[in-house]
Amino acid sequence: MGPLHGVKVVEIAGIGPAPFCAMMLADMGAEVLRVDRPDAVTADETHRFDVLNRGRRSIVLDLKHPAGRDAALALAAQADVVIEGFRPGVMESLGLAPDICHAHNPALVYGRMTGWGQDGPLARAAGHDINYIALSGVLWSVGRKGEAPVPPLNLVGDFGGGAMYLAFGIVCALIEARASGRGQVVDAAMVDGASSLIGMIHGLTAGGRWTEARGENIVDTGAPWYDVYETADGRHVAIGAIEPKFYAQMLTLLGLDPASLPAQYDTAGWPLLRRTFAAHFRSATREEWCRRMEGSDACFAPVLSPSEARAHPHMVAREAFLEVDGVAQPAAAPRFSRSTPAAPTPPRAAGADTRAALGDWGFDAASVDALLASGAAIQR
């Protein structure tokens, strides 16, 4: 049932990276209970499309109500993990600070997801992915020569530098807690994670192998053999032939004679190489280039839209995508040889499971009735 089967997680609902982290844990078999706010309860069915909320049940608690806060503490007392993604100080103002939760459950892993971190001059400032990757030096490096930086969706800050580092930190802390019997706080800041992701670039720069001039390096579109090219039908293909033997294969499949071209790493010859490659790729359609180059060692791939990616034979063969309640989405990753997780369940509407989930987490019927009657909890 997944490598995290038996791990109990309480997710204090937020947006973006914290739900993504909770989804990752649920995908791996953890029992994750999402605690939504009262204003999340709606009459529509749009929750079906909230892919980040898949794989877990939802209850609604008013954490500003004393009984709602006490119920959340009771859940934390039974959990292995609590996840929250608010600005520093919010959980403290609700009476759900780490020290209070640890008083009820010393072994609890308390995961905190923020952009700027729990401390520092910017800790309480608002921000989004683009701000965090800008400050960490990542955004500077993404873009073409002579052009402005290009935000790489919200993948590097929210999900790569945020959610994945929080998930990694939580699993690390769980392993340590099982040895020590003591929980701890995991402070996952997107500026920290994004900075970590470009550690290689810092090393290359220090070694004189990378320049901070955008679009002049090997993997930032500076090199003509690591770039995207337009095809005859207005589509695109991607080439990443870094190693000489792969570069040689690419030239062969393009029908180019190496003797007639500048050397691969002769940067003065890169403009000529780029013009040559661009002209050749524009001579055929994307599908024609796929038939010629896909599956070779030329480090080639078509640039596919998300819907095209779902239908690609390689992705189909690996069952990389699935459909949950009529919504196409990626399957759980990574994969395991033995402890295979179950397929994810559809996202639940806020409060759809309040009564049942509280009962399963040890609340008796009278206590649940009292929470619902007081408005501290809501059943959709």
Side-chain angles (χ1 to χ4, degrees):
M1 297 299 293
L4 293 183
H5 178 68
V7 174
K8 299 180 70 174
V9 180
V10 173
E11 171 199 1
I12 307 300
I15 60 173
F20 188 85
C21 174
M23 183 199 77
M24 291 178 66
L25 300 179
D27 280 353
M28 294 299 107
E31 178 186 352
V32 182
L33 183 61
R34 180 177 172 90
V35 180
D36 280 300
R37 297 180 299 190
D39 60 7
V41 179
T42 64
D44 61 36
E45 297 298 315
T46 55
H47 65 273
R48 292 180 50 240
F49 308 106
D50 291 333
V51 172
L52 299 190
N53 289 346
R54 74 186 186 188
R56 51 212 196 264
R57 294 189 290 178
S58 167
I59 68 172
V60 167
L61 293 177
D62 182 356
L63 299 180
K64 295 181 180 179
H65 191 295
R69 178 204 60 216
D70 291 345
L73 283 173
L75 293 172
Q78 304 173 56
D80 300 294
V81 180
V82 164
I83 296 174
E84 64 94 358
F86 302 124
R87 293 196 217 187
V90 171
M91 291 293 280
E92 284 78 0
S93 69
L94 293 171
L96 296 169
D99 58 339
I100 295 174
C101 290
H102 281 138
H104 289 74
N105 182 357
L108 180 70
V109 173
Y110 195 108
R112 314 197 81 168
M113 181 78 262
T114 60
W116 306 114
Q118 294 297 316
D119 51 34
L122 298 176
R124 294 178 181 268
H128 279 296
D129 177 294
I130 191 170
N131 310 119
Y132 311 134
I133 67 171
L135 192 76
S136 61
V138 175
L139 184 57
W140 173 278
S141 304
V142 183
R144 294 188 176 276
K145 183 176 181 178
E147 298 180 9
V150 177
L153 303 181
N154 64 327
L155 301 179
V156 179
D158 280 351
F159 300 141
M164 290 187 176
Y165 276 81
L166 178 58
F168 174 66
I170 285 171
V171 173
C172 290
L174 280 172
I175 293 172
E176 196 279 338
R178 290 182 176 179
S180 68
R182 299 172 59 197
Q184 59 185 304
V185 174
V186 179
D187 174 7
M190 288 177 242
V191 288
D192 297 345
S195 297
S196 175
L197 287 172
I198 61 163
M200 180 186 76
I201 303 303
H202 287 283
L204 291 174
T205 302
R209 298 164 59 196
W210 187 276
T211 171
E212 290 191 344
R214 188 179 308 112
E216 294 188 1
N217 301 284
I218 292 178
V219 294
D220 66 352
T221 74
W225 29 262
Y226 195 96
D227 208 345
V228 171
Y229 289 94
E230 186 177 4
T231 56
D233 53 351
R235 298 182 178 183
H236 295 85
V237 295
I239 288 292
I242 297 175
E243 295 83 355
K245 63 179 180 179
F246 299 150
Y247 178 73
Q249 175 79 342
M250 183 192 76
L251 293 184
T252 298
L253 293 176
L254 281 173
L256 293 170
D257 180 4
S260 67
L261 297 171
Q264 179 184 3
Y265 280 88
D266 175 11
T267 56
W270 281 3
L272 175 58
L273 287 178
R274 186 177 301 280
R275 291 193 298 272
T276 303
F277 296 163
H280 275 68
F281 279 117
R282 279 198 298 268
S283 70
T285 66
R286 188 184 71 181
E287 184 58 33
E288 288 171 332
W289 285 115
C290 285
R291 288 197 293 268
R292 187 182 304 183
M293 302 183 76
E294 197 166 25
S296 73
D297 278 353
C299 300
F300 166 93
V303 178
L304 303 179
S305 69
S307 57
E308 288 177 320
R310 295 197 298 268
H312 190 276
H314 181 80
M315 307 302 268
V316 171
R318 286 187 56 78
E319 299 180 340
F321 294 90
L322 45 73
E323 192 171 285
V324 179
D325 196 20
V327 179
Q329 56 198 268
R335 305 181 186 201
F336 297 84
S337 62
R338 182 172 48 80
S339 51
T340 304
T345 56
R348 300 285 288 167
D353 309 296
T354 301
R355 183 180 290 278
L358 287 176
D360 290 344
W361 280 61
F363 289 72
D364 59 42
S367 298
V368 175
D369 287 341
L371 285 167
L372 294 172
S374 68
I378 298 174
Q379 170 66 46
R380 186 177 190 266

